[in-house]
Structures are given as structure tokens and as C-alpha cells.
Amino acid sequence: MRTRSETGRTHVVIIGAGFGGLHAARRLKKADVEVTVVDRGTSHLFQPLLYQCATGLLSQGAISSPIRHLLRRQRNAKVVLGEAKNVDVAARTVAVERPDGSTMTIPYDHLVVAAGMRTAYHGCDDFAEFAPGMKTLDDALAIRRKIIGAFELAESLPDATQRRPWLTFAVAGGGPTGVELAGQIRELATLALENEFRSIDPGEARVLLLHGGDRVLPSFSPALSRRAQKTLDDLGVETHLGVHVTGVTADQVETTTKSEPHEITHYEAKTALWTTGVEAVPFAAALARALGVEQDHGGRVPVEADLSVRGHPEVWVVGDMSSRDELPGVAEVAMQGGRHVGAVIAHLAGGGTDRAAFRYHDLGSAAYIARRHAVVQAGKLQLSGYLGWLAWGVIHIAFLAGMRNRMGTVMNWSATLLTDSRRERAITYGDPETARQPYR
Ligand SMILES: Cc1cc2nc3c(=O)[nH]c(=O)nc-3n(C[C@H](O)[C@H](O)[C@H](O)COP(=O)(O)OP(=O)(O)OC[C@H]3O[C@@H](n4cnc5c(N)ncnc54)[C@H](O)[C@@H]3O)c2cc1C
């Protein structure tokens, strides 16, 4: 067989070192192949804890691990820093833009695409400047700058009327990310910042959770949604259901009631955060064009039962970017999909011909609401409150990449529980009114 690596072994190029890409690469460790992992960043990011980085609980190092370090013992794998831009399916090459602007053309025998999603503004792209989403480390750090900066600016203002917009935080979206973020801002304000300011009372921070549905956490059972709502209420989060965010500026958020479109409300809020949706990263469009397939409504690329693309058995799409059977966009789908594709490629490279279908084993989902309160749903098992919180902690530590990050996170959580403090509050210089993100 003709191969595209210098050694004559099958060359597998993996785009993206998130959950899907990393697990595909690891599954190929013992296979007779060469692996090249391409990512636009240098780290594998644990997105489920981004909100803890954004609210000063964990450092960016605690929720990310260098890709090179994670693959250091895998002799058949190398790492390339760059953003995949295009694919030539006839030549079997992928064009990668390097940080210096140059383009690298990488030949492949198998191409595994696991490039994930980005924040979607549903046609309201002008909101992005003032309401960052939460998908990348840059997003988490921009959000941290906005939140911490808002308390600092409020402290320096002479009267309550001027301070109020700085102490009002509007979170759009009542899914897990919005709920976690809203809860954490209240906990930051009422516990960690409690005695640190002289003019303001951080506990007066108003946190608005603005959600289009009729209950928060719609992907969980109604009973768990109710329990989550009760915890949010007890924390002091102000939830507004059945509303769309229809306007965001530097100092105002506008909502429209879904059932009464003429009912428009304006909130004076200097901080708006956006968690209402995702769409495939731009590379998905280039890939779909090159492969001659149509993206779904979220920009995902359709795949066959084995996760390869119809008519292109050497191109595979896994994780959030692949569109198949309405599988949820969660880490476990990406990890299992990555491992599945790695196994099939290893089998083919070893001379096999079978291409097994991908079967997802649902291990459940979890969302953190507040300290000692989380919800966990796995089949018939439903946990909330303290038990849910313990289970949530164990699950997240188990999936965090790297022993050092696991140990550091456990120590950090313990210290925060014992002292109520949050030490990861460093912000870079910048304008807290805007959030500029390099990857949109
Ligand atoms: C805030 C938040 C909280 C979440 N909480 C949970 C949770 O509690 N439980 C759960 O199961 N799931 C959760 N998820 C979802 C989960 O993180 C995703 O389902 C998972 O990350 C998808 O993995 P992936 O490999 O498809 O993509 P990703 O993990 O997003 O990885 C994509 C990788 O591709 C890289 N990339 C993108 N474009 C290019 C390009 N053109 N060239 C090169 N590299 C590129 C990116 O840098 C990234 O490293 C959460 C997501 C977010 C954002």
C-alpha cells in the first residue's frame, strides 16, 4: 500500500487534541502507524472546568496539559502547532497555517478530524465583543478579567447608582455552563470577596440567569432541574425563564419574552456572558466542501456508522464536530469516538478489513451548582445535593488529564472549602467592558 509517511508506515494525521483527538492518538500508541497531532494551541483543555478558571478558583495550568507532555512516551506520535485550514482529498494532504503565517502541507493516509465547536451567537455576532462565550482558555481569561475588573471598578465609584451596573452580571443560557457560571459568580461575591473591599459589599452583586426554556438544565430530568433551581434561588441567583437575550452593549442587556414579543426588558449590566449555543469551528466548512458533504444546522459534518465520511473511508470525524444519531456534545462521546476510530485504523493498518460501527455507551452527565450541590444523572440513577456534589467531584478528577493537575485541583478545592478564598484571580491588562478573542 502507498503510504504518506517518511518511514513507509501508515500516516495518521489528527486535527485537534481535545478529548476526541487525544484519545484517538493514544489508542494508536501500539499500532504500526505514524501519528501527527495538529492543534492550534499547545495544550489539551479540560473544558468542563473552564468556569472555575473564569471565576478565580483554578489556574489555567490546572485545567490544561501540554499536548507534547501528554504524548511524550508515545514514540510514534509527533505534535504540530498550527491551524488546519484546508484539505485536498485527491492529493490526501491537509494545509496547516503556522503561527508565523507560513503554511505547512501534511500528507495523510488517514485523517481524523476532532476540531470541536466554538461559541455561536445565532446571527448576533455583534454581541461577541461584549458577551464572551466560554470555549477556550482565552474565553475563560477574558471572563475572569470582566468579572474581577467589574468589582474593582465598582469599588472606586462614589455612589450606588454608578456602581450598580458594574455589580450586575447577566448570564445568557440556562444549560450546565450558564448555571455553573451564575452560581460561581455568586459564590465568588458572597464568600471569597466578602471582606476584601472597603466601599462596596460584593455580596450585593446581582447575578441574572437568562434562559429561553421553561426550566434550567433542560438536558436533566425535571426533578433535578427543580433541585438545581432551588439551589440557585438559595444562592441569590435571579433566574428569568422564557426570555431571549435580544441585545447586548457595553452597559446594557436587553431581553424579549418569548411568549410576549412586545415585552422587552433592559438591564443595566456591565458584564454579559454568553453560553447559549455552539457551532462547528470554521475548519468544518472547509472540510465539508472538500469532501462534498452537507453540514448539519450546527455546522457538524455527517458521518457513517464507523465515524468515517461517506465516500471517503480514510477521513474520520469524531467528537462535537461529527453529526450522528443526535449524540450529545459531551466529552464522553468524543473520548469513546476517538478510541473507536483509533482502534479501527490500527486494525486496518495491521492488514484487517473490518470497519466496526461506533456504539456509544452513555455514562451519564453532571453539573455543578454550588459548593455541596451538584446534579448527576446516569440512567435511572439521579443524585443531587451533597451526594451529587461528591460524585461530580470524583468524576471530574478522574477525567482531568495528568496526575499533577488532579492533585493540584484536589488541593485547591480543599483549600477553598476550608478558607473560602480564591487565589487564581490574576487578570491581564485589558478593558473589562470588552472581550477580545483571537479565535472566533
Ligand atoms: C464550558 C464547558 C463545559 C462543559 N462541561 C462538560 C461536562 O461537564 N461534561 C461533559 O461531558 N462535557 C462537557 N462539555 C463538552 C465537552 O467539553 C466537549 O464535548 C468536548 O470537549 C468535545 O471534544 P472534542 O474533541 O470534539 O473537541 P474539543 O475538546 O473542543 O477539542 C477541539 C480541539 O481542536 C482544536 N482545533 C480547533 N480548530 C482547529 C483547527 N482548525 N486546527 C487545529 N486545531 C484545531 C482546538 O484547539 C481543541 O484543542 C463542556 C464544554 C464546555 C465549553
Side-chain angles (χ1 to χ4, degrees):
M1 189 180 97
R2 180 181 69 121
T3 63
R4 317 303 313 277
S5 76
E6 285 157 13
T7 57
R9 296 205 289 178
T10 298
H11 190 204
V12 185
V13 175
I14 299 175
I15 308 298
F19 288 103
L22 190 65
H23 281 261
R26 283 178 164 167
R27 184 61 186 76
L28 287 163
K29 185 173 180 179
K30 296 199 173 117
D32 188 22
V33 299
E34 304 260 322
V35 179
T36 300
V37 178
V38 180
D39 200 290
R40 61 187 184 180
T42 56
S43 291
H44 163 79
L45 178 62
F46 192 76
Q47 292 175 16
L49 289 177
L50 268 175
Y51 70 94
Q52 295 205 357
C53 176
T55 53
L57 190 49
L58 295 176
S59 70
Q60 53 267 49
I63 60 163
S64 58
S65 300
I67 302 162
R68 287 187 186 283
H69 183 75
L70 292 173
L71 294 175
R72 68 193 181 285
R73 296 208 180 91
Q74 187 165 335
R75 305 307 304 175
N76 69 348
K78 65 179 182 185
V79 180
V80 169
L81 173 66
E83 183 166 0
K85 290 285 187 188
N86 238 316
V87 181
D88 183 334
V89 286
R92 292 197 183 174
T93 56
V94 55
V96 174
E97 188 180 289
R98 309 296 317 280
D100 63 0
S102 63
T103 299
M104 192 174 173
T105 303
I106 308 178
Y108 63 81
D109 295 300
H110 287 276
L111 179 66
V112 181
V113 182
M117 308 293 271
R118 65 175 181 174
T119 302
Y121 287 89
H122 314 298
C124 303
D125 291 350
D126 52 318
F127 294 1
E129 183 173 11
F130 303 109
M134 194 151 63
K135 278 302 283 179
T136 65
L137 263 186
D138 289 296
D139 292 337
L141 296 177
I143 291 175
R144 189 196 284 177
R145 187 171 74 226
K146 279 176 79 73
I147 296 171
I148 302 294
F151 285 105
E152 294 297 336
L153 282 156
E155 170 81 349
S156 61
L157 291 168
D159 69 82
T161 322
Q162 285 172 291
R163 290 176 197 155
R164 202 165 300 124
W166 286 107
L167 292 177
T168 304
F169 302 84
V171 180
T177 304
V179 165
E180 288 168 338
L181 202 45
Q184 285 299 292
I185 298 173
R186 276 298 294 167
E187 281 201 341
L188 170 75
T190 52
L191 295 173
L193 301 183
E194 199 185 7
N195 295 314
E196 297 192 1
F197 288 83
R198 300 294 170 258
S199 305
I200 59 164
D201 172 5
E204 286 178 6
R206 187 179 179 201
V207 180
L208 307 163
L209 182 61
L210 310 168
H211 183 52
D214 58 3
R215 61 181 175 99
V216 295
L217 300 182
S219 57
F220 288 78
S221 73
L224 289 182
S225 285
R226 276 195 299 278
R227 273 172 232 159
Q229 185 63 65
K230 162 101 176 57
T231 308
L232 288 171
D233 295 345
D234 292 347
L235 263 181
V237 172
E238 197 180 310
T239 308
H240 297 270
L241 299 173
V243 295
H244 278 317
V245 173
T246 44
V248 181
T249 62
D251 37 37
Q252 210 174 60
V253 171
E254 176 195 275
T255 63
T256 302
T257 305
K258 268 170 79 178
S259 56
E260 304 283 343
H262 57 274
E263 208 173 285
I264 291 171
T265 309
H266 291 104
Y267 298 97
E268 304 294 320
K270 287 280 194 182
T271 306
L273 307 171
W274 192 262
T275 72
T276 71
V278 288
E279 64 188 9
V281 294
F283 180 59
L287 181 71
R289 225 178 6 257
L291 297 170
V293 296
E294 210 167 301
Q295 295 168 269
D296 75 4
H297 59 277
R300 297 173 190 86
V301 178
V303 289
E304 299 282 87
D306 60 358
L307 301 184
S308 69
V309 178
R310 175 170 297 177
H312 301 276
E314 74 289 0
V315 180
W316 314 77
V317 185
V318 302
D320 282 5
M321 204 204 253
S322 94
S323 167
R324 176 155 179 75
D325 292 344
E326 296 301 313
L327 286 178
V330 295
E332 193 56 44
V333 171
M335 290 189 278
Q336 290 182 26
R339 286 197 292 268
H340 167 82
V341 167
V344 176
I345 293 175
H347 176 70
L348 296 175
T353 51
D354 305 341
R355 300 171 68 100
F358 173 55
R359 281 207 179 74
Y360 172 56
H361 302 286
D362 188 356
L363 300 182
S365 43
Y368 182 99
I369 322 294
R371 61 170 57 191
R372 300 187 182 88
H373 292 276
V375 291
V376 175
Q377 183 171 289
K380 286 189 181 145
L381 177 75
Q382 297 196 5
L383 299 174
S384 60
Y386 192 66
L387 270 184
W389 179 72
L390 284 179
W392 172 93
V394 171
I395 294 166
H396 280 70
I397 290 299
F399 285 106
L400 202 55
M403 188 51 75
R404 199 159 147 178
N405 278 1
R406 286 184 201 136
M407 282 162 47
T409 299
V410 169
M411 280 169 60
N412 215 326
W413 284 350
S414 309
T416 302
L417 274 175
L418 290 174
T419 64
D420 287 340
S421 64
R422 287 178 188 229
R423 301 297 302 277
E424 303 297 343
R425 282 157 32 198
I427 58 172
T428 47
Y429 296 115
D431 180 357
E433 286 192 351
T434 60
R436 305 197 193 287
Q437 307 162 76
Y439 297 120
R440 287 257 166 82

mmCIF file of all heavy atoms in Angstrom, residues 228-254:
data_model
loop_
_atom_site.group_PDB
_atom_site.id
_atom_site.type_symbol
_atom_site.label_atom_id
_atom_site.label_comp_id
_atom_site.label_asym_id
_atom_site.label_seq_id
_atom_site.Cartn_x
_atom_site.Cartn_y
_atom_site.Cartn_z
ATOM 1 N N ALA A 228 -31.880 21.945 41.152
ATOM 2 C CA ALA A 228 -30.853 22.922 40.761
ATOM 3 C C ALA A 228 -31.401 24.340 40.916
ATOM 4 O O ALA A 228 -30.724 25.234 41.423
ATOM 5 C CB ALA A 228 -30.427 22.669 39.317
ATOM 6 N N GLN A 229 -32.660 24.525 40.507
ATOM 7 C CA GLN A 229 -33.276 25.854 40.604
ATOM 8 C C GLN A 229 -33.352 26.316 42.060
ATOM 9 O O GLN A 229 -33.071 27.469 42.372
ATOM 10 C CB GLN A 229 -34.684 25.823 39.982
ATOM 11 C CG GLN A 229 -35.355 27.186 39.920
ATOM 12 C CD GLN A 229 -34.596 28.158 39.023
ATOM 13 O OE1 GLN A 229 -34.511 27.951 37.829
ATOM 14 N NE2 GLN A 229 -34.015 29.204 39.599
ATOM 15 N N LYS A 230 -33.698 25.387 42.940
ATOM 16 C CA LYS A 230 -33.797 25.730 44.375
ATOM 17 C C LYS A 230 -32.424 26.188 44.893
ATOM 18 O O LYS A 230 -32.321 27.172 45.622
ATOM 19 C CB LYS A 230 -34.323 24.499 45.123
ATOM 20 C CG LYS A 230 -34.121 24.458 46.606
ATOM 21 C CD LYS A 230 -35.409 24.850 47.323
ATOM 22 C CE LYS A 230 -35.330 24.738 48.835
ATOM 23 N NZ LYS A 230 -34.297 25.499 49.493
ATOM 24 N N THR A 231 -31.370 25.471 44.499
ATOM 25 C CA THR A 231 -30.026 25.849 44.956
ATOM 26 C C THR A 231 -29.650 27.224 44.401
ATOM 27 O O THR A 231 -29.082 28.056 45.113
ATOM 28 C CB THR A 231 -28.981 24.794 44.496
ATOM 29 O OG1 THR A 231 -29.438 23.509 44.904
ATOM 30 C CG2 THR A 231 -27.622 25.059 45.080
ATOM 31 N N LEU A 232 -29.987 27.463 43.131
ATOM 32 C CA LEU A 232 -29.678 28.776 42.547
ATOM 33 C C LEU A 232 -30.427 29.881 43.308
ATOM 34 O O LEU A 232 -29.866 30.938 43.604
ATOM 35 C CB LEU A 232 -30.084 28.810 41.065
ATOM 36 C CG LEU A 232 -29.219 27.996 40.099
ATOM 37 C CD1 LEU A 232 -29.870 27.936 38.719
ATOM 38 C CD2 LEU A 232 -27.811 28.582 39.989
ATOM 39 N N ASP A 233 -31.705 29.618 43.625
ATOM 40 C CA ASP A 233 -32.503 30.613 44.367
ATOM 41 C C ASP A 233 -31.865 30.886 45.727
ATOM 42 O O ASP A 233 -31.725 32.035 46.146
ATOM 43 C CB ASP A 233 -33.944 30.114 44.581
ATOM 44 C CG ASP A 233 -34.693 29.961 43.258
ATOM 45 O OD1 ASP A 233 -34.220 30.491 42.243
ATOM 46 O OD2 ASP A 233 -35.741 29.269 43.258
ATOM 47 N N ASP A 234 -31.466 29.808 46.417
ATOM 48 C CA ASP A 234 -30.858 29.978 47.745
ATOM 49 C C ASP A 234 -29.545 30.769 47.659
ATOM 50 O O ASP A 234 -29.193 31.511 48.562
ATOM 51 C CB ASP A 234 -30.577 28.607 48.386
ATOM 52 C CG ASP A 234 -31.877 27.879 48.730
ATOM 53 O OD1 ASP A 234 -32.944 28.540 48.699
ATOM 54 O OD2 ASP A 234 -31.826 26.658 48.988
ATOM 55 N N LEU A 235 -28.836 30.584 46.553
ATOM 56 C CA LEU A 235 -27.576 31.310 46.368
ATOM 57 C C LEU A 235 -27.799 32.790 46.088
ATOM 58 O O LEU A 235 -26.895 33.599 46.227
ATOM 59 C CB LEU A 235 -26.842 30.740 45.149
ATOM 60 C CG LEU A 235 -25.753 29.706 45.294
ATOM 61 C CD1 LEU A 235 -25.214 29.359 43.910
ATOM 62 C CD2 LEU A 235 -24.616 30.226 46.168
ATOM 63 N N GLY A 236 -29.011 33.112 45.617
ATOM 64 C CA GLY A 236 -29.306 34.503 45.273
ATOM 65 C C GLY A 236 -29.200 34.791 43.786
ATOM 66 O O GLY A 236 -29.191 35.948 43.376
ATOM 67 N N VAL A 237 -29.120 33.749 42.967
ATOM 68 C CA VAL A 237 -29.131 33.961 41.512
ATOM 69 C C VAL A 237 -30.568 34.274 41.100
ATOM 70 O O VAL A 237 -31.511 33.623 41.554
ATOM 71 C CB VAL A 237 -28.631 32.701 40.758
ATOM 72 C CG1 VAL A 237 -28.823 32.853 39.252
ATOM 73 C CG2 VAL A 237 -27.171 32.423 41.089
ATOM 74 N N GLU A 238 -30.720 35.312 40.251
ATOM 75 C CA GLU A 238 -32.061 35.725 39.826
ATOM 76 C C GLU A 238 -32.333 35.107 38.450
ATOM 77 O O GLU A 238 -31.751 35.516 37.453
ATOM 78 C CB GLU A 238 -32.023 37.257 39.726
ATOM 79 C CG GLU A 238 -33.324 37.938 39.688
ATOM 80 C CD GLU A 238 -33.105 39.457 39.578
ATOM 81 O OE1 GLU A 238 -32.315 40.054 40.351
ATOM 82 O OE2 GLU A 238 -33.709 40.053 38.684
ATOM 83 N N THR A 239 -33.200 34.100 38.401
ATOM 84 C CA THR A 239 -33.413 33.371 37.136
ATOM 85 C C THR A 239 -34.632 33.928 36.401
ATOM 86 O O THR A 239 -35.687 34.132 37.002
ATOM 87 C CB THR A 239 -33.653 31.869 37.419
ATOM 88 O OG1 THR A 239 -32.592 31.394 38.244
ATOM 89 C CG2 THR A 239 -33.671 31.061 36.133
ATOM 90 N N HIS A 240 -34.480 34.186 35.121
ATOM 91 C CA HIS A 240 -35.605 34.603 34.274
ATOM 92 C C HIS A 240 -35.768 33.575 33.171
ATOM 93 O O HIS A 240 -34.870 33.420 32.331
ATOM 94 C CB HIS A 240 -35.339 35.987 33.675
ATOM 95 C CG HIS A 240 -35.224 37.058 34.719
ATOM 96 N ND1 HIS A 240 -36.314 37.783 35.158
ATOM 97 C CD2 HIS A 240 -34.166 37.487 35.439
ATOM 98 C CE1 HIS A 240 -35.926 38.626 36.095
ATOM 99 N NE2 HIS A 240 -34.615 38.469 36.295
ATOM 100 N N LEU A 241 -36.897 32.865 33.201
ATOM 101 C CA LEU A 241 -37.134 31.809 32.206
ATOM 102 C C LEU A 241 -38.004 32.349 31.064
ATOM 103 O O LEU A 241 -38.716 33.337 31.234
ATOM 104 C CB LEU A 241 -37.827 30.624 32.869
ATOM 105 C CG LEU A 241 -37.044 29.948 34.001
ATOM 106 C CD1 LEU A 241 -37.897 28.889 34.690
ATOM 107 C CD2 LEU A 241 -35.741 29.328 33.492
ATOM 108 N N GLY A 242 -37.938 31.677 29.932
ATOM 109 C CA GLY A 242 -38.799 32.049 28.797
ATOM 110 C C GLY A 242 -38.417 33.373 28.159
ATOM 111 O O GLY A 242 -39.272 34.045 27.583
ATOM 112 N N VAL A 243 -37.154 33.759 28.282
ATOM 113 C CA VAL A 243 -36.731 35.027 27.655
ATOM 114 C C VAL A 243 -35.559 34.788 26.704
ATOM 115 O O VAL A 243 -34.721 33.910 26.933
ATOM 116 C CB VAL A 243 -36.315 36.087 28.712
ATOM 117 C CG1 VAL A 243 -37.494 36.497 29.563
ATOM 118 C CG2 VAL A 243 -35.152 35.596 29.577
ATOM 119 N N HIS A 244 -35.515 35.595 25.655
ATOM 120 C CA HIS A 244 -34.372 35.594 24.739
ATOM 121 C C HIS A 244 -33.548 36.845 24.995
ATOM 122 O O HIS A 244 -34.128 37.917 25.218
ATOM 123 C CB HIS A 244 -34.859 35.664 23.287
ATOM 124 C CG HIS A 244 -35.263 34.341 22.746
ATOM 125 N ND1 HIS A 244 -34.536 33.210 22.959
ATOM 126 C CD2 HIS A 244 -36.316 33.987 21.955
ATOM 127 C CE1 HIS A 244 -35.129 32.203 22.334
ATOM 128 N NE2 HIS A 244 -36.214 32.640 21.742
ATOM 129 N N VAL A 245 -32.244 36.717 24.947
ATOM 130 C CA VAL A 245 -31.409 37.923 25.008
ATOM 131 C C VAL A 245 -31.381 38.490 23.597
ATOM 132 O O VAL A 245 -30.925 37.834 22.659
ATOM 133 C CB VAL A 245 -29.996 37.592 25.518
ATOM 134 C CG1 VAL A 245 -29.098 38.823 25.421
ATOM 135 C CG2 VAL A 245 -30.069 37.111 26.961
ATOM 136 N N THR A 246 -31.903 39.710 23.452
ATOM 137 C CA THR A 246 -32.030 40.279 22.097
ATOM 138 C C THR A 246 -31.134 41.495 21.896
ATOM 139 O O THR A 246 -31.152 42.103 20.827
ATOM 140 C CB THR A 246 -33.501 40.644 21.806
ATOM 141 O OG1 THR A 246 -34.060 41.296 22.971
ATOM 142 C CG2 THR A 246 -34.324 39.411 21.503
ATOM 143 N N GLY A 247 -30.380 41.862 22.909
ATOM 144 C CA GLY A 247 -29.458 42.985 22.733
ATOM 145 C C GLY A 247 -28.383 42.956 23.796
ATOM 146 O O GLY A 247 -28.655 42.623 24.950
ATOM 147 N N VAL A 248 -27.142 43.251 23.401
ATOM 148 C CA VAL A 248 -26.040 43.358 24.364
ATOM 149 C C VAL A 248 -25.162 44.528 23.933
ATOM 150 O O VAL A 248 -24.737 44.596 22.777
ATOM 151 C CB VAL A 248 -25.164 42.086 24.395
ATOM 152 C CG1 VAL A 248 -24.053 42.233 25.433
ATOM 153 C CG2 VAL A 248 -25.976 40.837 24.678
ATOM 154 N N THR A 249 -24.944 45.463 24.857
ATOM 155 C CA THR A 249 -23.993 46.552 24.580
ATOM 156 C C THR A 249 -23.015 46.588 25.752
ATOM 157 O O THR A 249 -23.060 45.719 26.625
ATOM 158 C CB THR A 249 -24.705 47.920 24.470
ATOM 159 O OG1 THR A 249 -25.314 48.202 25.739
ATOM 160 C CG2 THR A 249 -25.753 47.912 23.374
ATOM 161 N N ALA A 250 -22.162 47.627 25.781
ATOM 162 C CA ALA A 250 -21.156 47.703 26.842
ATOM 163 C C ALA A 250 -21.800 47.804 28.214
ATOM 164 O O ALA A 250 -21.218 47.370 29.207
ATOM 165 C CB ALA A 250 -20.246 48.891 26.607
ATOM 166 N N ASP A 251 -23.002 48.373 28.309
ATOM 167 C CA ASP A 251 -23.569 48.557 29.650
ATOM 168 C C ASP A 251 -25.039 48.144 29.767
ATOM 169 O O ASP A 251 -25.690 48.486 30.749
ATOM 170 C CB ASP A 251 -23.396 50.003 30.133
ATOM 171 C CG ASP A 251 -23.548 50.996 29.021
ATOM 172 O OD1 ASP A 251 -24.419 50.749 28.152
ATOM 173 O OD2 ASP A 251 -22.815 51.973 29.000
ATOM 174 N N GLN A 252 -25.528 47.410 28.800
ATOM 175 C CA GLN A 252 -26.935 47.029 28.891
ATOM 176 C C GLN A 252 -27.190 45.665 28.241
ATOM 177 O O GLN A 252 -26.556 45.307 27.256
ATOM 178 C CB GLN A 252 -27.773 48.077 28.167
ATOM 179 C CG GLN A 252 -29.138 48.224 28.749
ATOM 180 C CD GLN A 252 -29.900 49.363 28.105
ATOM 181 O OE1 GLN A 252 -30.123 49.338 26.906
ATOM 182 N NE2 GLN A 252 -30.307 50.328 28.909
ATOM 183 N N VAL A 253 -28.138 44.937 28.839
ATOM 184 C CA VAL A 253 -28.585 43.680 28.231
ATOM 185 C C VAL A 253 -30.097 43.786 28.049
ATOM 186 O O VAL A 253 -30.812 44.206 28.962
ATOM 187 C CB VAL A 253 -28.238 42.476 29.137
ATOM 188 C CG1 VAL A 253 -28.891 41.198 28.621
ATOM 189 C CG2 VAL A 253 -26.726 42.282 29.203
ATOM 190 N N GLU A 254 -30.553 43.425 26.858
ATOM 191 C CA GLU A 254 -31.987 43.508 26.562
ATOM 192 C C GLU A 254 -32.552 42.101 26.418
ATOM 193 O O GLU A 254 -31.938 41.254 25.776
ATOM 194 C CB GLU A 254 -32.183 44.273 25.249
ATOM 195 C CG GLU A 254 -33.631 44.350 24.790
ATOM 196 C CD GLU A 254 -33.724 44.786 23.332
ATOM 197 O OE1 GLU A 254 -33.705 45.995 23.081
ATOM 198 O OE2 GLU A 254 -33.819 43.891 22.455
#
